[in-house]
Amino acid sequence: MRLSELLSKAPAKEEAQVERFLNARLAWGKHKTIEVGKVAINFKCKTCDDARTFMSGDRLSCLGVGDRVVSIDACLKCPVCEATVEAWFLVVSRDELDGQAPTVRLERYVDNRRGMARRVGVSAGAGDFDDLLERAQLAYEEQLGAGSMVYLRKIFEAITKQVADIAGIPTTGNNGARKPFRSLLQEVDERHHIIPLAFSSEGYKLFSELSEIVHGDSSEEMALRKYHPCRSLVIGIIQNVASDQDMQWAIDALGWNINGLNVPSGGAMVQ
């Protein structure tokens, strides 16, 4: 495998044995241009409004960081409109980096899309919620557990309140104060069943899980461990609302792209 193939799997942090890409040890702070093939990563190009494989050039910039660590920079380009994305990879080797066939892993990946592209497979095709889902995923990848949960909770709150407005359910009580979220969620769910069926008896429990983490009542480790299940449930709520036939006109008015929903049947998790 060439190093470019491993980098093209980003953000997956995989490990593999790759062809030799350094002829000699690269000292700390020293740059070298390497030829390891083109890096190809799929993005949703905003200019083309379609999924494209953004590709790098033949040469990448490699910086020595440690005895077995290098930093690699690449500029990826849309093959149609030529929109660009900058990508950065931190690569760690089990053995000597300048070996004949080093075993390396992608330790960290960061991209700067500059508003030109979106991650593929991160959004759910639901208008403004896509941006929050992507932010949650990026926070998770940066190991910011509480941060990722903040975005998921914002989606949960926003979609519940929007459905309440559409359904004519008051969001304030008789005294003019905002209704407790538990009460509002119960009213909304009784009318439109926004909570996935498997969790319908514990709909508020999801919000409680998110709130505990957001307010610092849980460790970052616990937040990261709970991220995928909570994300899956939040996407399930989006899917339920988008499939409600009684709300189709309202969904159109809200600008949700329900035809682009990326939620597998059977409650499978979207990553």
Side-chain angles (χ1 to χ4, degrees), residues 64-196:
V65 178
D67 288 342
R68 298 182 179 180
V69 185
V70 291
S71 169
I72 298 175
D73 295 320
C75 184
L76 313 179
K77 183 183 294 186
C78 173
V80 177
C81 71
E82 298 192 341
T84 58
V85 168
E86 290 83 38
W88 171 74
F89 311 86
L90 189 68
V91 176
V92 179
S93 176
R94 283 190 184 183
D95 35 42
E96 297 301 323
L97 278 164
D98 58 346
Q100 192 63 39
T103 297
V104 301
R105 74 175 185 276
L106 179 58
E107 181 74 14
R108 193 175 179 198
Y109 164 74
V110 177
D111 55 45
N112 178 19
R113 283 160 281 126
R114 297 182 294 107
M116 303 298 293
R118 282 187 181 276
R119 289 277 190 89
V120 172
V122 172
S123 67
D128 292 340
F129 295 127
D130 278 350
D131 180 62
L132 292 174
L133 283 170
E134 185 170 20
R135 288 171 184 266
Q137 179 65 24
L138 294 177
Y140 171 77
E141 291 176 8
E142 292 295 320
Q143 299 294 289
L144 302 174
S148 65
M149 292 297 192
V150 167
Y151 292 114
L152 294 181
R153 194 178 84 151
K154 284 171 68 74
I155 295 173
F156 196 175
E157 290 179 323
I159 198 168
T160 301
K161 291 175 181 176
Q162 287 187 16
V163 172
D165 290 338
I166 294 168
I169 298 172
T171 57
T172 57
N174 295 330
N175 60 358
R178 187 172 60 181
K179 283 183 181 177
F181 185 77
R182 180 191 293 271
S183 300
L184 182 62
L185 175 61
Q186 184 175 356
E187 290 183 58
V188 169
D189 193 47
E190 286 176 354
R191 186 88 61 90
H192 286 285
H193 307 294
I194 67 172
I195 302 297

Side-chain angles (χ1 to χ4, degrees), residues 124-127 242 248 251-252 256-263:
Q248 289 303 309
I251 290 168
D252 292 339
W256 295 359
N257 176 23
I258 62 172
N259 293 324
L261 277 171
N262 187 27
V263 185

Side-chain angles (χ1 to χ4, degrees), residues 25-32 61-67 69-71:
R25 179 177 176 274
L26 189 59
W28 177 87
K30 297 297 183 181
H31 281 92
K32 181 178 179 60
S61 176
C62 184
L63 171 69
V65 178
D67 288 342
V69 185
V70 291
S71 169

